[in-house]
Amino acid sequence: MKRLFKNIGILAGVNAGGLLRKCGSQMDDAGLLKNAWLLSDGWQIAAFGTAADSLPTADEVVDCEGGMLMPAFCDSHTHIVYAGGREGEFIDKINGLSYAEIAARGGGILNSADRLHETPEEVLYANAVERLIEMNYQGTGAVEIKSGYGLNPTDEIRMLQVIDRIKAHSPSVVKSTFLGAHAVGRGYSHEDYVFAVCQMMTEAAHLADFVDVFCEKGFFTVEDTARILETGKKHGLRPKIHANQLSASGGVQVGVKYGALSVDHLEQAGDDEIAALKDSDTIATMLPGSSFFLGLPYGKARAFIDAGLPVALASDFNPGSAPSGDMRFVMALGCIKMKLTPERAFNAVTINGAYAMGVSDITGSIAAGKRADLILTRPGWDLTKMVYLHQTPYIRQVYLAGEPL
Ligand code: NIG
Ligand code: FE
């Protein structure tokens, strides 16, 4: 079915150069076309142009009445398969405990693992789908989902199976990451658990697209990370790692060394990490929602971009450090807290987010042949207004693979 979007006030995210990611000053260009139209044909974008062209014929016409049409968000880092919330820890945090202190007491990730262990697959699936549908209505069209609350062979694989089922049934683009090394599972010594994660890799590799390690003081060392990434790579899994969230962990450097697609968090990263990322294919991904929720410093996104690097922003949606998948809020935090311009924040949550999960060839920007994953705003909205009035409803309709939600 052909659908014509006419009277588009601003078409954002036009990718004329066939770019797969935007680096440095390329992020200043949001690919804007004013007074435009766009034609979708089935699941893909067929053509687009400006009002001066004669409009193509279509089976259905959507009058955008001057609204903005932009690519749906690409959220490259989430943990949306989890069992129950962690409201108790939320109150502990309000009363002064830090994220690291809660983890050291056996709470945090281990708390989620205990709950997941008791939760049937059906319930895990239903809860994750509910979260994803909410994210879709908030404009997210592509999502990466991690395991990491199983922390034993059975439950880690169960999580990956749940993600696989979501992949098969959701209209979203879904990528899956094996994060067995999220915390040391209960009943294991540190050494034994690292070994067990490497053992899990064979089965995990049948289900996952990427391998991840929480490279952080109190979790996994650079040496553990190297060992796990190497095993993952042998099984065809490209790394995407958690690095430099709470300390300068060396995670960025080890990630780049093993050809990571992305290194994520980077709250504690500066010149050394910028130097390590220069001339690599690895993208820096920052997660301002977790800085917001935990009251931690924000990544220096502006410095990374000024140094010529690409930056992606993602939600990190999880029950412990970022219980929200709202990518417009992530964009707003990028602007308000990380001093990104709306154009840079927009590129960080669309094309660069898509790159960070290996899907920028199929979604995350406007080009013929790409998936018609689109957000249509109400009339009169633009990128600046979207983040400035960051609490005001602005979405008129989300389309995934050409179909309205
Ligand atoms: O990215 N930092 C490690 N992992 C998650 C939090 C997981 C949790 O607390 O449940 C994150 O912030
Ligand atoms: Fe995370």
Side-chain angles (χ1 to χ4, degrees):
M1 211 232 355
K2 289 187 176 163
R3 183 176 283 117
L4 174 67
F5 296 86
K6 67 169 191 180
N7 294 330
I8 302 170
I10 299 167
L11 182 61
V14 172
N15 187 350
L19 295 175
L20 292 178
R21 63 178 191 174
K22 288 192 175 181
C23 302
S25 59
Q26 289 175 324
M27 290 185 72
D28 294 327
D29 178 9
L32 304 182
L33 204 58
K34 288 197 173 149
N35 301 322
W37 56 267
L38 181 140
L39 183 73
S40 65
D41 187 355
W43 59 270
Q44 61 182 348
I45 297 170
F48 57 89
T50 52
D53 310 334
S54 58
L55 293 177
T57 55
D59 305 299
E60 189 186 302
V61 178
V62 177
D63 187 348
C64 300
E65 298 176 58
M68 176 168 68
L69 192 69
M70 58 176 268
F73 299 121
C74 300
D75 190 351
S76 65
H77 181 138
T78 83
H79 310 250
I80 60 170
V81 177
Y82 63 84
R86 301 224 298 265
E87 288 85 350
E89 293 176 7
F90 176 56
I91 303 298
D92 291 341
K93 274 184 211 118
I94 291 172
N95 288 323
L97 281 187
S98 72
Y99 182 77
E101 284 164 342
I102 290 168
R105 295 200 318 184
I109 296 166
L110 290 178
N111 181 358
S112 283
D114 292 342
R115 302 184 69 164
L116 187 132
H117 187 65
E118 293 157 5
T119 306
E121 194 165 319
E122 220 36 60
V123 176
L124 286 178
Y125 175 74
N127 291 344
V129 166
E130 199 177 317
R131 291 175 196 124
L132 182 53
I133 289 174
E134 182 182 315
M135 291 162 76
N136 291 151
Y137 279 96
Q138 289 172 323
T140 295
V143 65
E144 179 259 16
I145 311 173
K146 299 175 195 294
S147 71
Y149 294 124
L151 310 185
N152 65 48
T154 313
D155 288 328
E156 279 297 312
I157 297 303
R158 229 156 50 90
M159 284 192 78
L160 291 174
Q161 284 164 340
V162 168
I163 302 169
D164 208 43
R165 215 167 130 195
I166 298 172
K167 225 184 226 186
H169 294 104
S170 169
S172 332
V173 175
V174 178
K175 288 283 176 181
S176 156
T177 300
F178 172 51
L179 176 56
H182 199 190
V184 172
R186 283 202 205 277
Y188 289 91
S189 70
H190 189 99
E191 267 295 286
D192 288 352
Y193 190 66
V194 172
F195 181 76
V197 168
C198 293
Q199 294 287 104
M200 291 178 218
M201 206 72 76
T202 315
E203 210 174 338
H206 292 298
L207 294 158
D209 301 294
F210 304 110
V211 59
D212 195 342
V213 177
F214 187 16
C215 182
E216 187 59 62
K217 216 193 289 169
F219 292 84
F220 296 92
T221 65
V222 166
E223 292 71 32
D224 300 330
T225 305
R227 195 164 143 205
I228 295 164
L229 298 189
E230 195 156 330
T231 310
K233 284 191 82 172
K234 275 194 197 128
H235 287 83
L237 297 179
R238 191 161 181 199
K240 263 178 74 64
I241 74 169
H242 282 72
N244 298 52
Q245 179 183 15
L246 309 171
S247 63
S249 64
V252 171
Q253 287 81 351
V254 71
V256 171
K257 180 169 171 208
Y258 285 92
L261 180 57
S262 71
V263 286
D264 301 21
H265 270 294
L266 313 186
E267 288 85 343
Q268 304 291 338
D271 292 345
D272 290 346
E273 287 73 20
I274 289 174
L277 284 162
K278 274 262 174 195
D279 306 318
S280 77
D281 292 333
T282 305
I283 189 165
T285 299
M286 299 189 185
L287 312 169
S290 78
S291 298
F292 171 76
F293 190 76
L294 298 180
L296 293 177
Y298 288 82
K300 298 182 183 71
R302 192 176 176 139
F304 278 61
I305 296 169
D306 289 343
L309 293 174
V311 169
L313 297 178
S315 76
D316 196 18
F317 192 169
N318 76 75
S321 69
S324 161
D326 181 351
M327 288 293 277
R328 194 256 286 240
F329 182 54
V330 168
M331 242 183 108
L333 289 175
C335 296
I336 298 161
K337 299 291 190 181
M338 304 164 104
K339 306 297 175 206
L340 296 182
T341 59
E343 291 75 18
R344 287 179 169 192
F346 165 77
N347 282 313
V349 295
T350 55
I351 185 169
N352 283 359
Y355 178 86
M357 53 189 287
V359 299
S360 60
D361 55 336
I362 59 166
T363 191
S365 61
I366 304 292
K370 292 226 160 99
R371 277 175 51 116
D373 295 332
L374 304 164
I375 298 172
L376 172 61
T377 75
R378 294 177 170 176
W381 284 77
D382 58 31
L383 293 178
T384 301
K385 192 165 164 181
M386 233 179 108
V387 284
Y388 172 64
L389 296 180
H390 65 282
Q391 293 292 299
T392 308
Y394 72 108
I395 294 180
R396 179 150 138 191
Q397 183 72 58
V398 176
Y399 297 82
L400 295 186
E403 287 303 314
L405 289 185

